[in-house]
Amino acid sequence: MRTLCGMADSFIYLVSRMGVTGATGTLNIELPALIQRVKGLSGNIPVAVGFGISTREHFLSVTSIADGAVIGSQVINILSDAPPGGAAQAAEDYCSLITQRKVHRDESMSEISGATEKNVAVPTGDAEAAVTNGPGRFGTFGGQYAPEALTTCLAELEAGFQQALDDPTFWEEYRSYYPYMGRPSSLHQASRLTEHVGGANIWLKREDLNHTGSHKINNALGQILVARRLGKTEIIAETGAGQHGVATATVCAKFGMKCTIYMGAEDVRRQALNVFRIRLLGATVVPVDSGSRTLRDAVNEAFRAWIVRLDTTHYIIGSAIGPHPFPTMVRTFQSVIGNETKAQMHELGKSPDAVVACVGGGSNSVGMFYPFSNDLSVQLVGVEAAGDGLDTERHSATLTGGSVGVLHGVRTYVLQDQHGQISETHSVSAGLDYPGVGPELAHWKESKRATFLSATDVQAFEGFRLLSQLEGIIPALETSHAVWGAIEIAKKLGPGKDIVLCLSGRGDKDVQTVADELPRIGPQIGWDLRF
């Protein structure tokens, strides 16, 4: 008990009685003393009691001595016994019976950070679909599905971020680091690639030339400036391909802040170069061995670490995911990509007919798309990772093959099974290997403002080879998916049209992965680099 209580970071789930889950009966008479003992061992971590709780009387008994009550199996029973089409109403009625509170549907989706006693529930289905606005909302997507322990910190972050947005001196400071970041990044035509595909003109927005080699520095720099305003002294982050990890470690080195990067153990193996770069910069890399050992598991561990160090630590999320305000923060700092693109094309006397970016969580794509989102003459095209194919279970095409759910604190499209369990993902590119996507991208899909393609590992290798051999630019494998997508769009639009491709990262980090995968993928595209 002492060991387990010492591990607890948010709350402790305490078994109420001898028995099995869902069974009913009297609570253990020793429960008050047990709760007191657990709180003493844990340093007063909140205790929630479960097992056998199914009635209003059980609920009142438990909550008179504990911090919370857990009801699980009885809810399942209620859903199972409900008539067709009546499950949501039956669950709502049961919750109202237990709590003696009635939640009105127009109130139920109020942000958790501003919740009052009259909006304590978050129903699903039609009630949720009716909500289309409010802070952190993108149509029916977004929101803040977070543990109570995080709500105070998220409210502090939201307020600090809004103050920064409204303060001209913040933006002056942010822009003062443009020379350090390598901004503005260049825009130029990929003339040989354009000629090769025989279609529209393909322009390259060169985020790979930024300091650290990708677009990730845009967001890392902005968030660390906000963190400093909030008085934080330590930074944690997750990373998949390592580019966000490198960018975060870089800004932490520049501003003298302690930095810890969580990275799936499989990604540590695939991205050894970036792991070493992160450590060279003075940061600590924590390999995550749980689950699929990839990006989603790194996000899990980063949230767990953040929740126990909220007073001193800021979590710099690298993609447009997570609870509000993170998706808005990431989009705000990454919008420099689209804003510069718009200005640079204007200087050429042009406006793009389409902008293309790869999509994993969505940081570079939302940054490229957002400044063009109100200009309906510009197509927004995202390219996801189809892995071994959409007809297999080995892909990461969330918007193409997923369904609506909640992951890492936000309502969005998720790769999940019929029971809501998160699916395993696959992509040859570590940065796209994530089972969710930013809520704003989900909204653009649903509203048909953006189009989303998916490129297999093989097609990504085709994009990788073509850009390398026709333009002398070795792209990241994530970006290579977008290269393939831009070629497809160029063929479709035809000569005279203009496409801007967000070249989100450089490929030196992926050279070893390409070498390792060529024996498998090379024969499928006629590419052999063996001596």
Side-chain angles (χ1 to χ4, degrees):
M1 286 180 63
R2 186 181 303 278
T3 300
L4 293 173
C5 288
M7 294 168 58
D9 54 17
S10 55
F11 77 97
I12 295 173
Y13 183 174
L14 183 64
V15 176
S16 66
R17 57 188 293 283
M18 297 298 291
V20 296
T21 181
T24 58
T26 58
L27 300 175
N28 190 330
I29 61 173
E30 298 179 355
L31 187 60
L34 183 57
I35 290 175
Q36 186 175 3
R37 183 183 175 199
V38 167
K39 287 209 165 195
L41 291 172
S42 68
N44 211 34
I45 293 288
V47 173
V49 174
F51 269 51
I53 303 174
S54 60
T55 68
R56 169 72 175 168
E57 291 71 27
H58 291 155
F59 173 79
L60 291 174
S61 296
V62 165
T63 54
S64 68
I65 56 175
D67 300 294
V70 180
I71 303 178
S73 294
Q74 185 61 20
V75 176
I76 301 300
N77 294 336
I78 294 292
L79 295 174
S80 299
D81 295 340
Q89 187 62 53
E92 182 178 327
D93 292 342
Y94 173 69
C95 292
S96 294
L97 173 66
I98 293 295
T99 63
Q100 294 296 295
R101 293 169 177 167
K102 181 66 177 176
V103 178
H104 300 291
R105 291 187 179 275
D106 60 350
E107 298 168 344
S108 62
M109 291 306 296
S110 295
E111 292 302 316
I112 293 175
S113 59
T116 63
E117 187 172 81
K118 68 181 180 180
N119 56 54
V120 296
V122 182
T124 58
D126 293 340
E128 194 165 39
V131 179
T132 59
N133 52 36
R137 288 282 167 185
F138 308 97
T140 63
F141 302 100
Q144 194 181 82
Y145 299 79
E148 186 176 354
L150 276 181
T151 56
T152 299
C153 186
L154 289 170
E156 175 194 48
L157 178 59
E158 180 180 4
F161 173 58
Q162 189 60 51
Q163 289 174 1
L165 284 181
D166 297 337
D167 185 353
T169 64
F170 172 82
W171 291 109
E172 289 174 11
E173 182 181 17
Y174 181 74
R175 287 190 292 269
S176 73
Y177 292 104
Y178 275 14
Y180 177 75
M181 298 160 65
R183 304 221 67 90
S185 63
S186 65
L187 176 80
H188 65 84
Q189 186 177 4
S191 56
R192 292 195 66 214
L193 185 63
T194 296
E195 182 181 358
H196 175 79
V197 301
N201 302 313
I202 299 177
W203 300 80
L204 305 178
K205 179 58 174 168
R206 298 293 304 276
E207 294 298 296
D208 61 316
L209 297 180
N210 292 347
H211 181 40
T212 74
S214 78
H215 68 291
K216 294 293 188 180
I217 191 74
N218 305 326
N219 170 60
L221 193 284
Q223 285 207 43
I224 201 169
L225 293 180
V226 173
R228 293 174 75 214
R229 283 180 160 233
L230 295 174
K232 306 302 181 182
T233 59
E234 181 179 351
I235 297 295
I236 61 176
E238 89 297 331
T239 195
Q243 296 291 64
H244 176 57
V246 170
T248 302
T250 296
V251 296
C252 285
K254 182 165 185 61
F255 292 104
M257 297 180 74
K258 181 180 177 182
C259 181
T260 304
I261 305 296
Y262 293 86
M263 191 172 188
E266 173 61 16
D267 294 337
V268 169
R269 182 193 66 80
R270 291 194 288 185
Q271 299 293 333
L273 175 61
N274 271 347
V275 172
F276 192 64
R277 292 172 72 195
I278 293 169
R279 296 179 65 196
L280 279 174
L281 290 160
T284 299
V285 177
V286 178
V288 178
D289 283 302
S290 59
S292 61
R293 305 164 79 233
T294 56
L295 181 56
R296 85 173 195 207
D297 310 293
V299 175
N300 290 339
E301 290 302 317
F303 269 117
R304 291 188 186 110
W306 189 33
I307 209 167
V308 298
R309 304 203 294 272
L310 295 176
D311 290 343
T312 60
T313 304
H314 173 61
Y315 176 13
I316 298 183
I317 291 184
S319 203
I321 59 171
H324 174 68
F326 282 111
T328 302
M329 291 180 71
V330 174
R331 179 250 280 162
T332 297
F333 294 127
Q334 293 294 1
S335 288
V336 64
I337 303 171
N339 285 325
E340 283 183 4
T341 297
K342 182 181 289 189
Q344 289 165 327
M345 290 296 284
H346 181 73
E347 289 176 2
L348 296 170
K350 294 176 175 288
S351 177
D353 296 284
V355 290
V356 182
C358 63
V359 177
S363 57
N364 91 99
S365 51
V366 77
M368 173 60 93
F369 294 170
Y370 182 73
F372 293 99
S373 59
N374 292 326
D375 185 350
L376 300 183
S377 69
V378 181
Q379 294 184 38
L380 313 179
V381 182
V383 187
E384 298 187 290
D388 290 346
L390 297 181
D391 56 345
T392 75
E393 295 183 352
R394 286 173 49 83
H395 68 80
S396 302
T398 307
L399 288 165
T400 306
S403 56
V404 177
V406 174
L407 176 65
H408 292 143
V410 64
R411 185 176 193 263
T412 185
Y413 274 85
V414 179
L415 289 174
Q416 57 188 333
D417 65 18
Q418 67 270 31
H419 305 296
Q421 299 302 305
I422 303 302
S423 303
E424 297 295 327
T425 56
H426 164 75
S427 173
V428 72
S429 58
L432 302 186
D433 197 359
Y434 181 69
V437 70
E440 196 158 16
L441 292 166
H443 172 56
W444 286 333
K445 168 190 166 65
E446 196 125 302
S447 65
K448 295 182 170 52
R449 178 61 190 94
T451 301
F452 295 95
L453 312 177
S454 56
T456 64
D457 290 348
V458 172
Q459 290 165 336
F461 264 56
E462 290 178 341
F464 183 93
R465 177 176 64 171
L466 283 173
L467 197 66
S468 297
Q469 297 185 353
L470 292 178
E471 296 294 335
I473 300 170
I474 301 176
L477 280 173
E478 292 78 21
T479 308
S480 300
H481 290 72
V483 174
W484 177 85
I487 291 170
E488 294 301 302
I489 295 298
K491 292 176 181 176
K492 181 177 179 180
L493 291 182
K497 302 295 185 180
D498 293 288
I499 297 170
V500 178
L501 164 64
C502 181
L503 206 63
S504 57
R506 69 177 187 237
D508 50 352
K509 68 181 181 63
D510 292 318
V511 169
Q512 188 59 53
T513 298
V514 172
D516 292 341
E517 293 290 337
L518 262 180
R520 178 177 70 91
I521 295 178
Q524 300 179 59
I525 59 175
W527 193 17
D528 187 352
L529 296 181
R530 291 174 295 182
F531 287 105

